[in-house]
Amino acid sequence: MPISETVKNDSAEMEISGRLGFSDSSEFRKRLNDLLARNVKSLSIDLARLDFMDSAGLGMLMVANTECRSREVALSLCNPQGEVKLLLQMTKSYDRFKIIG
Amino acid sequence: MLAHGAGEVVCAVNGVDAFKKLETFSPDLILLDIEMPEMDGLEFCEKLRRVEAPLRDVSVVVMTGLEKMDDRVRALHLGISGLMHKPIQEPQLLQNVHLCLQKRHLMKKLLESPLIQEADLDLAKQMQSLLLPDEAMLQDYSQRYHMGIQHLYRPSEAMGGDYWMMQPINNHIVAVCVADFSGHGVMAAINTFRLHTFLKEYAKYYASPAEVLKELNGNLHRMLPTGEYLTCFLGFIDMQRNILQYAAAAVPPAVIVQNGKFSILDCSGEPLGAYDDAVYHNHEVPFVTNSTLFLYSDALVERNGQDKILFTATSLLEHIGKISLNNKRTVCDGIIADIDQSGHHFDDDLTLLCLSHQ
């Protein structure tokens, strides 16, 4: 799960590629907490290069959603593809997350 | 007598005094007389189990002259480690104390060691296999409801949380459920037990699957940590009206096949336990003679990071259609044969369930 981040002023961008699964939980949480600790106002997570996400991966995004909401950070998920997009549709995540592209 | 073999010993005259002493002394073992003034032994136990760990988990051996079964049962329910009858003999006392302390020591070591993960896994697998419907029960349902029932369950190495069951609602309606907890290990297995109990005992009191899912969602939302959830298909099959009524939460699309034609059932929905205000809807589709309902866990269509997949959601449907047209074997047999022939390795639990209206 390569994750890269950039922070410009008070917006953060995270890109996740490859797979997001159970073994990535602590790494993802750490990266998320680091970003939120920088008091950003918005976080956009680019999923264009994410090939696969399992239930643990979606769970991590749910946690991110909750954390961001409680800190009034605007979270958006961008460009989900293929199986990742299917999973988001199947779980009706379009009603709970802001998803762009 | 005890001080010679057992290390430090502290005495208390009754339950109240004992709690005072426990403020400064952390024992591994408490020897407890049931008949004590001011706070008897059982009351002491009840209070003890409500305090914080580690004091809560101290081993307790109860000494009693009581012959009443009720008190002994009550003592057992309080999680005592042993029971000794008065009059107490010295060798018996020493042996009991020694065994108790040894067991406690081993448990401590086990809990601290990395091997607990393996123990966890094994236990979880055993628990899971206890829940699967047995053949005798399925044959009974098959006869009662004039339904063909075929199933396949292949657990993965990692203990993935798949579960399925059938439960009579009344003489002509039977419920079917296929579900998957997103978490792993013993907690997921325990939650599966809870789910099983709920469906077995209470599903029949709800008017429709959507209402069952709504109730489940509320329960699970309270129980599961953020980010964990249950995906689920719950159907009430009415063999008199020839209708399948179902509600679903985020499972791959189920299929009804008849003479090579298939209809895809929309099984999207918010995963159970994720959002406390999630809403579930009932869908109704015909389930007439010679139809087959095909349910499966997402392992069947998930790529899971591998380069090769066996089926995509679309190719699976086409394949099911072809097998059904062929008529030489059932849909379930056909899919299983293809899986075995391909030699494909599944990372997650695999569940298949085919119900045919005969």
Side-chain angles (χ1 to χ4, degrees), chain B residues 316-332:
Chain B
L316 174 67
L317 299 173
E318 287 168 1
H319 205 73
I320 291 175
K322 265 193 225 148
I323 296 173
S324 159
L325 259 181
N326 196 326
N327 242 344
K328 286 212 188 103
R329 52 185 182 179
T330 63
V331 169
C332 211

Side-chain angles (χ1 to χ4, degrees), chain B residues 146-215:
Chain B
H146 305 290
M147 192 185 274
I149 303 173
Q150 277 195 294
H151 57 99
L152 172 72
Y153 171 68
R154 288 194 188 156
S156 66
E157 285 312 305
M159 176 61 220
D162 268 20
Y163 165 79
W164 76 271
M165 68 98 80
M166 290 178 73
Q167 175 60 33
I169 299 290
N170 60 35
N171 284 334
H172 52 93
I173 302 180
V174 63
V176 57
C177 176
V178 177
D180 184 4
F181 274 102
S182 66
H184 297 279
V186 172
M187 259 337 279
I190 291 174
N191 285 330
T192 312
F193 261 82
R194 287 182 171 137
L195 172 65
H196 180 79
T197 308
F198 178 80
L199 291 173
K200 266 221 131 26
E201 303 299 322
Y202 296 108
K204 56 182 174 279
Y205 299 119
Y206 292 84
S208 73
E211 284 160 63
V212 178
L213 290 196
K214 183 175 167 196
E215 180 76 19

Side-chain angles (χ1 to χ4, degrees), chain A residues 7 9-12 35-36 38-43 72-73:
Chain A
V7 181
N9 301 325
D10 53 10
S11 331
L35 277 177
L36 292 176
R38 288 155 89 167
N39 287 324
V40 295
K41 292 265 182 336
S42 69
L43 169 60
E72 293 178 2
V73 174

